[in-house]
């Protein structure tokens, strides 16, 4: 049986959840009083908005290097985060995405 087939209200799921959460906190050497664990649905593309939400909290701005399709998708999703500015600081579009672009060391 897959975990997806178990009711989230069942004792079996609750035990699995608690054990997995405790194991992750222990593995990462995190104090459960200071950290919590979130298990979220979604795939890798969910991180396109989750990462900017976590990393851009102070300045509400991120820099993106346009290296192709997935970088473009990440920038498009990041723009949807309210109040976040997304700067494309370099792009490989000029070389048809065949090489990583030169990344500037300073930004405006």
């Amino acid at each position: 049986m897959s975990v997806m087939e178990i009711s989230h209200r069942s004792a079996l799921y609750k035990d699995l959840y608690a054990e997995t959460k405790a194991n992750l906190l222990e593995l990462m050497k995190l104090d459960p009083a200071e950290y919590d664990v979130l298990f979220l649905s979604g795939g890798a593309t969910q991180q396109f908005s989750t990462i900017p939400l976590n990393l851009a909290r102070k300045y509400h701005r991120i820099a993106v290097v346009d290296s192709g399709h997935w970088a473009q998708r990440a920038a498009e999703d990041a723009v949807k985060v309210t109040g976040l500015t997304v700067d494309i600081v370099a792009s490989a579009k000029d070389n048809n995405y065949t090489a990583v672009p030169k990344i500037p060391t300073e930004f405006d």
Side-chain angles (χ1 to χ4, degrees):
M1 178 182 291
S2 161
V3 71
M4 299 304 293
E5 299 172 81
I6 303 171
S7 169
H8 67 282
R9 294 181 184 99
S10 71
L12 179 60
Y13 177 82
K14 289 178 182 180
D15 291 345
L16 175 65
Y17 171 84
E19 182 180 348
T20 304
K21 181 177 172 178
N23 287 343
L24 184 62
L25 288 166
E26 180 183 346
L27 177 70
M28 297 184 72
K29 296 178 179 28
L30 297 173
D31 180 357
E34 294 183 31
Y35 293 91
D36 203 354
V37 176
L38 300 176
F39 295 100
L40 303 171
S41 62
T45 56
Q46 181 178 358
Q47 300 305 310
F48 292 164
S49 59
T50 306
I51 289 173
L53 279 169
N54 282 299
L55 298 180
R57 292 188 315 185
K58 184 173 182 180
Y59 298 107
H60 307 287
R61 187 175 201 157
I62 65 168
V64 175
V65 175
D66 175 16
S67 59
H69 175 77
W70 292 111
Q72 292 166 3
R73 287 277 315 274
E76 289 168 7
D77 282 5
V79 167
K80 296 174 187 174
V81 175
T82 304
L84 183 67
T85 300
V86 178
D87 297 313
I88 307 297
V89 297
S91 178
K93 187 175 184 177
D94 292 346
N95 63 39
N96 202 26
Y97 300 104
T98 58
V100 177
K102 182 175 171 43
I103 301 169
T105 55
E106 293 187 24
F107 310 111
D108 294 332

